[in-house]
Amino acid sequence: MDRKMVKFIKEQYPPGTRIRLNSMNDPYAPITPGTEGIVDLVDDAGSIHMKWDNGRTLAIVPGEDSFTVLPPKLETLKLYMPLTADFYEPNEYGDLDENGVTLEGEELRGYESQIAAALKKYRMPEEAERGLMHWYDKTDSVNRKVHSAVFAVEERNGQLWGVAECRVAGKLTGAELESLKAYLEGQAADGWGEGFEQREIRVDGKSELYVHLWNSDAWSIQTEQERFEQEQTGGMTLAQSM
């Protein structure tokens, strides 16, 4: 197989590509048709080395073996951020008081359903498939791996948190995760979140809630492990506490 064809195969089937075998031209110990697995690497001869789900590692030979490329399996990655809100309730005259109060995670638990409904309501039609990733304008590995990302809320450890729920193909590298966090921080602070925090959420009849996905007071966006393992170990990760 010439170099151009090998290069083409390597580009077409990068590591992590999911494949289902249709048939294998091996008279001795072929992989059973219908078996699925992921590409480990493509060697310089153009053979596709596999990690099959049944534990075997027999390679596929393009042109001799028949196989189908499958859509990647998507895993959910949750990134947690502190949540705050401005709460306005009616005064004695029935009008909304101009001086609202600030509510934080613990105080927002009773409004989880209303906030969750509002986050879904104000998603734009363009975001139906990929959510916030529709607005991601870089053609990089983050764009390829992160299929979608949406803002939601979740109660954990007695507080209501803002959550970026991401559907990811494969595993993000450290650099990719940091790039994704930086992008979502921008959406929480200046993009999607800036518009959302100006939309009232009606609660308790006449009261109004304005929810902030971002605030400048010690704000951070962290994975589930980073956020909650640090809380459980007094600010240290499990590795640091061992």
Side-chain angles (χ1 to χ4, degrees):
M1 191 175 294
D2 64 38
R3 291 182 179 179
K4 287 185 178 180
M5 181 56 70
V6 171
K7 182 175 182 293
F8 174 78
I9 293 174
K10 288 183 177 181
E11 291 174 348
Q12 287 292 106
Y13 309 109
T17 300
R18 191 153 190 87
I19 283 175
R20 179 190 294 123
L21 184 70
N22 299 325
S23 64
M24 178 173 281
N25 185 23
D26 186 322
Y28 301 106
I31 300 295
T32 304
T35 303
E36 298 180 6
I38 61 171
V39 175
D40 187 21
L41 61 89
V42 176
D43 64 24
D44 291 337
S47 296
I48 304 173
H49 292 259
M50 297 291 299
K51 292 180 180 178
W52 297 105
D53 290 351
N54 62 9
R56 297 188 64 189
T57 56
L58 194 61
I60 294 172
V61 180
E64 295 185 15
D65 303 322
S66 173
F67 57 91
T68 302
V69 176
L70 302 174
K73 282 189 174 181
L74 299 178
E75 303 291 339
T76 298
L77 168 68
K78 292 184 178 181
L79 299 171
Y80 292 81
M81 62 202 82
L83 205 63
T84 59
D86 297 323
F87 181 69
Y88 298 87
E89 56 186 345
N91 56 28
E92 66 237 44
Y93 304 107
D95 301 319
L96 286 181
D97 197 324
E98 294 181 358
N99 299 313
V101 296
T102 299
L103 304 182
E104 298 185 347
E106 183 176 358
E107 300 161 305
L108 289 171
R109 290 179 300 168
Y111 304 108
E112 179 177 1
S113 61
Q114 294 97 323
I115 297 172
L119 286 166
K120 291 181 180 180
K121 177 181 178 180
Y122 293 120
R123 289 173 191 164
M124 301 179 69
E126 296 92 333
E127 298 166 5
E129 181 179 359
R130 300 197 67 198
L132 300 168
M133 294 306 293
H134 173 80
W135 311 108
Y136 190 87
D137 58 3
K138 298 178 182 178
T139 55
D140 58 8
S141 58
V142 174
N143 204 344
R144 291 191 297 272
K145 289 184 177 181
V146 183
H147 177 75
S148 65
V150 296
F151 285 131
V153 288
E154 181 179 322
E155 183 180 346
R156 291 287 296 270
N157 294 359
Q159 296 189 53
L160 191 66
W161 296 87
V163 185
E165 294 183 349
C166 309
R167 296 287 286 165
V168 181
K171 186 176 181 180
L172 297 179
T173 66
E176 289 168 342
L177 179 58
E178 291 307 310
S179 293
L180 176 60
K181 286 181 178 180
Y183 170 67
L184 292 172
E185 179 176 355
Q187 285 293 339
D190 301 317
W192 202 95
E194 184 178 23
F196 180 72
E197 68 183 1
Q198 298 176 40
R199 298 178 181 273
E200 76 279 0
I201 301 173
R202 287 275 182 168
V203 295
D204 304 328
K206 293 184 178 181
S207 300
E208 293 182 357
L209 198 64
Y210 294 83
V211 176
H212 310 290
L213 293 166
W214 181 90
N215 63 76
S216 60
D217 185 17
W219 189 93
S220 63
I221 182 168
Q222 295 180 308
T223 65
E224 184 173 21
Q225 182 180 23
E226 291 168 338
R227 175 71 67 188
F228 299 111
E229 284 190 359
Q230 284 183 11
E231 287 189 357
Q232 293 168 4
T233 57
M236 297 185 297
T237 65
L238 290 182
Q240 291 172 323
S241 62
M242 293 178 64

